Amino acid sequence: MDIELLDKNVLPENFSYPSALQKIIELNLVNFDIWYLFDKQNGLKRLEGLRKRYPDRVLVPFARRSDNDDIACLGTESEKVFIIHDFASAGHEERETYQDIWTWLKHVIDSMIDYERMELE
């Protein structure tokens, strides 16, 4: 799966992707069974949807959990990763926050392992 980040012209002002996300894509670490990185088309669709559903937040989606409506997003003020339960009522959408992409990735790998173990039982 070829993953491309969203074009600068659709991103929030002063936003730049963290180098860690770019490294993950460069290494083709893009699909973790239940979590996967968005391709450009789906990322843009979610970006537009988030702007409508949560107009008071600046969120740039980059990954989705396939077994629910959770999406991983970046903001503009730090390298934190926000897990947003998309389509939840405004004010109730944020489920978790991770310090950075690497911390989020560790969680994703652990989630994949737990999910696979449950599937084998």
Side-chain angles (χ1 to χ4, degrees):
M1 174 185 260
D2 285 335
I3 300 296
E4 290 182 50
L5 298 173
L6 297 176
D7 296 327
K8 191 166 182 67
N9 64 328
V10 299
L11 294 170
E13 191 175 319
N14 299 322
F15 176 84
S16 60
Y17 285 104
S19 59
L21 181 59
Q22 295 172 19
K23 183 66 173 180
I24 288 168
I25 293 169
E26 177 186 316
L27 294 171
N28 201 33
L29 302 173
V30 299
N31 189 332
F32 300 91
D33 201 10
I34 58 173
W35 278 99
Y36 61 90
L37 270 59
F38 283 124
D39 62 24
K40 201 174 204 176
Q41 180 181 359
N42 286 314
L44 182 58
K45 182 178 177 181
R46 283 297 176 122
L47 176 68
E48 292 168 351
L50 287 170
R51 287 176 174 163
K52 291 176 187 170
R53 289 185 287 280
Y54 310 111
D56 295 335
R57 298 204 58 181
V58 178
L59 299 166
V60 177
F62 67 91
R64 179 171 191 260
R65 185 173 169 130
S66 62
D67 62 341
N68 62 33
D69 287 329
D70 287 355
I71 56 176
C73 301
L74 297 162
T76 57
E77 298 178 19
S78 69
E79 292 198 7
K80 286 184 181 177
V81 175
F82 302 95
I83 304 302
I84 302 297
H85 190 67
D86 203 4
F87 305 103
S89 300
H92 301 281
E93 72 277 6
E94 191 172 310
R95 284 196 167 196
E96 297 173 81
T97 305
Y98 295 93
Q99 176 182 337
D100 56 23
I101 293 285
W102 298 121
T103 307
W104 170 79
L105 184 60
K106 285 180 182 180
H107 165 75
V108 166
I109 291 169
D110 287 342
S111 296
M112 177 183 65
I113 292 167
D114 292 345
Y115 183 81
E116 289 301 320
R117 284 181 175 153
M118 284 181 10
E119 289 292 304
L120 294 173
E121 290 179 355

